Amino acid sequence: MTEYTRHTAFGGRLVMVGFGSIGQGVLPLILRHIDMPKDKIVIITAEEKGKQVAEAYGVEFRVEPVTRENYRELVGKEIGKGDFLLNLSVDVSSIALAELARDKGALYLDTCIEPWVGGYTDTSLPPSLRSNYALREEFLSKRRPGHKDPTAVITHGANPGLVSHFVKQAMLNIAKDTGVKADVPTDRAGWGKLAKELGVKVIHIAERDTQVTNNPKKVGEFVNTWSIDGFVSEGSQPTELGWGTHEKHWPYNASRHAFGCDAAIFLNRPGASTRVRTWTPTEGHFHGFLITHSEAISIADYFTVTEATGAAQAVTYRPTVHYAYHPCDDAVMSVHELAGKNWQQQPNQRLIVDEVVSGIDELGVLLAGHKKNAYWYGSQLSIGEARKLCPHNNATSLQVTVAVLGGLVWAMENPQEGIVEPDEMDFQRVLEVCMPYLGPVVGAYSDWTPLEGRGVLFAEDVDYDDPWQFKNVLVA
């Protein structure tokens, strides 16, 4: 029998809201690596999916949809001081659940900031208020300086989440390889200073999912390797990206937000209709969807450098940050069909886990503009290795579920930190928990730029003076 490392012990109850692909995949990791009785875990979910998985592990499973009207009673009665509320749901307000957990004295973690059902596509709101930027600003406004509130880790899956820790390790690797003497920074200012000194202009969360099945997508069906409702929701939000100080060309149809940290901009179009150029070691260069994710804003904000100019602070450095996502090929076809139906979701869904026959999820961060041009650092997890490492996972879900585990462990070890983003956590501790489940974790330099092969078939309007302008990255 395999002996697994117990990273921490937990004496409270753990209440999991939502039990889709991520909930089912994280349950065995929790039972392996956190020392707690399984009879202190309860799952509350909106549908029967996953019931057999919960029963196989002897964990309480209840089908009770959480709504705006019932969440305080339904969830509130299950948690108290010292417990943990793990939110893996869709269409349930993350902010509402986090505030409930705080009021009850419980810890909290989610993998993204969800609004109540319909919030992502509520056309009564302007695009700025349907954005991850707005959701993040609202969540961070709930911080209570001076209070020792229970830890609430927000947006800690693979991305957002794990990739923020990849960014820090990648920067240290680049510093070492370019002769920049740098101790591990201990605060936000130190990390911003290091990024500026390295000359990092852009950070892509660059992901290529090559997992396939022998049962191709059918007409009227959305196929994906992780939450379909989640993908459609975020793909329907405005395109969002952290906006760097090196940028010289304002994008067509772009807007700034009229509030908040001002670290990001948005395009007045869905993220799933916007493509960008990027690179990963196995795939090489490719086009990915610029799907909005909280890490595009939080990373850009975290690494911002300011200097005092009189009574004000002027931004002197910030990288451009965004997600560049090529999902599995069946999901690409699903998005194409979705867009052709004016973003009305297909009547049928198929989440592929057990039926995946081959492929990898190559997920990492591409840091570019420095002395060695571009450096990708991340996970190249195959479906075969994912199945060997943990049941109820494919390569995509395992990268998420182990990051959830890492966030749980960190929160349990640091229980009075209030609201915390991934960028503010101990990246080394989280990576220590995650590494055994990520397959090959590699770093690779490349001389690729988004100007490679451009202007051959047709003339293109590009900026040859600076390859890493977003103008060159964006697929027109």
Side-chain angles (χ1 to χ4, degrees):
M1 184 176 178
T2 304
E3 290 290 330
Y4 295 105
T5 300
R6 296 284 193 171
H7 293 296
T8 193
F10 188 63
R13 301 186 77 216
L14 189 149
V15 177
M16 187 186 306
V17 177
F19 200 60
S21 61
I22 304 308
Q24 293 169 47
V26 79
L27 181 59
L29 294 173
I30 292 170
L31 294 172
R32 283 179 184 180
H33 297 289
I34 297 176
D35 186 6
M36 65 176 300
K38 60 186 177 183
D39 61 8
K40 285 197 172 184
I41 301 174
V42 60
I43 296 162
I44 301 173
T45 187
E47 53 191 8
E48 292 282 342
K49 289 180 183 177
K51 182 178 181 179
Q52 291 181 335
V53 173
E55 289 178 342
Y57 289 99
V59 171
E60 184 178 352
F61 178 95
R62 299 211 302 267
V63 178
E64 295 178 308
V66 177
T67 67
R68 189 194 301 260
E69 292 73 29
N70 73 8
Y71 79 97
R72 294 199 70 88
E73 169 64 21
L74 179 61
V75 180
K77 69 183 180 183
E78 301 293 340
I79 56 174
K81 186 175 182 179
D83 292 336
F84 206 119
L85 178 55
L86 174 56
N87 178 16
L88 301 176
S89 64
V90 295
D91 293 335
V92 177
S93 170
S94 303
I95 295 172
L97 289 191
E99 286 194 294
L100 175 63
R102 184 194 68 196
D103 293 346
K104 295 287 186 176
L107 307 176
Y108 173 87
L109 183 142
D110 60 39
T111 60
C112 68
I113 305 175
E114 285 274 331
W116 288 115
V117 60
Y120 284 134
T121 54
D122 182 358
T123 54
S124 70
L125 299 174
S128 175
L129 297 183
R130 302 199 301 266
S131 66
N132 274 314
Y133 180 98
L135 287 167
R136 174 178 181 260
E137 288 289 336
E138 183 182 359
F139 214 140
L140 295 183
S141 74
K142 306 298 182 181
R143 283 176 163 168
R144 303 195 302 182
H147 289 74
K148 286 190 175 295
D149 285 331
T151 297
V153 176
I154 65 174
T155 68
H156 203 280
N159 57 314
L162 178 63
V163 294
S164 287
H165 310 308
F166 282 167
V167 167
K168 289 182 175 179
Q169 186 60 58
M171 285 190 180
L172 294 177
N173 295 350
I174 295 168
K176 179 181 178 182
D177 295 339
T178 58
V180 174
K181 294 183 179 180
D183 295 327
V184 179
T186 58
D187 58 17
R188 179 174 181 164
W191 282 107
K193 180 181 178 182
L194 176 59
K196 182 179 182 180
E197 184 176 0
L198 292 175
V200 174
K201 292 182 177 179
V202 305
I203 300 173
H204 293 181
I205 291 78
E207 179 177 7
R208 175 62 166 109
D209 182 352
T210 63
Q211 293 171 97
V212 296
T213 80
N214 53 15
N215 182 11
K217 171 194 153 14
K218 301 174 179 63
V219 174
E221 180 182 51
F222 199 113
V223 177
N224 197 20
T225 55
W226 61 281
S227 172
I228 292 160
D229 289 333
F231 187 20
V232 171
S233 293
E234 67 185 26
S236 302
Q237 285 180 272
T239 303
E240 295 186 77
L241 63 155
W243 191 243
T245 47
H246 74 288
E247 299 288 0
K248 298 182 293 185
H249 308 280
W250 188 249
Y252 167 74
N253 213 19
S255 298
R256 289 191 181 276
H257 299 276
F259 57 95
C261 67
D262 199 36
I265 65 172
F266 66 97
L267 309 185
N268 286 278
R269 57 185 294 177
S273 73
T274 306
R275 293 180 300 155
V276 285
R277 298 171 175 87
T278 195
W279 182 92
T280 62
T282 301
E283 181 71 15
H285 59 92
F286 63 93
H287 291 176
F289 296 115
L290 201 168
I291 302 292
T292 177
H293 263 196
S294 186
E295 78 268 16
I297 305 151
S298 71
I299 293 173
D301 191 15
Y302 187 82
F303 288 97
T304 295
V305 176
T306 61
E307 293 181 6
T309 56
Q313 291 285 326
V315 174
T316 60
Y317 168 78
R318 177 183 290 137
T320 291
V321 186
H322 61 75
Y323 189 19
Y325 180 37
H326 191 308
C328 71
D329 291 350
D330 277 346
V332 172
M333 293 303 298
S334 300
V335 170
H336 181 68
E337 184 181 47
L338 174 72
K341 301 299 182 183
N342 292 320
W343 311 104
Q344 297 300 309
Q345 191 174 339
Q346 293 92 324
N348 300 311
Q349 298 182 353
R350 179 155 50 96
L351 182 70
I352 54 173
V353 179
D354 294 338
E355 62 184 285
V356 176
V357 295
S358 66
I360 71 170
D361 201 319
E362 189 171 37
L363 168 65
V365 293
L366 183 74
L367 282 66
H370 47 80
K371 288 181 181 178
K372 293 177 73 69
N373 184 56
Y375 178 71
W376 187 93
Y377 181 81
S379 164
Q380 297 173 326
L381 182 62
S382 70
I383 181 61
E385 187 157 10
R387 285 180 174 145
K388 291 177 183 177
L389 290 167
C390 189
H392 315 301
N393 281 280
N394 58 29
T396 305
S397 68
L398 186 53
Q399 291 166 335
V400 180
T401 57
V402 74
V404 171
L405 174 68
L408 287 170
V409 169
W410 186 88
M412 290 171 181
E413 294 174 340
N414 300 270
Q416 291 186 313
E417 298 297 321
I419 296 171
V420 178
E421 292 188 288
D423 316 277
E424 300 167 317
M425 298 164 65
D426 180 350
F427 78 103
Q428 293 169 317
R429 177 55 172 150
V430 177
L431 288 179
E432 179 184 26
V433 173
C434 295
M435 282 294 192
Y437 289 96
L438 295 176
V441 176
V442 304
Y445 288 99
S446 175
D447 60 2
W448 175 82
T449 78
L451 294 179
E452 184 174 314
R454 304 288 293 278
V456 176
L457 289 177
F458 301 94
E460 294 189 61
D461 180 16
V462 296
D463 186 335
Y464 288 103
D465 293 331
D466 181 2
W468 297 107
Q469 290 289 309
F470 181 69
K471 174 181 180 176
N472 297 332
V473 173
L474 181 66
V475 178

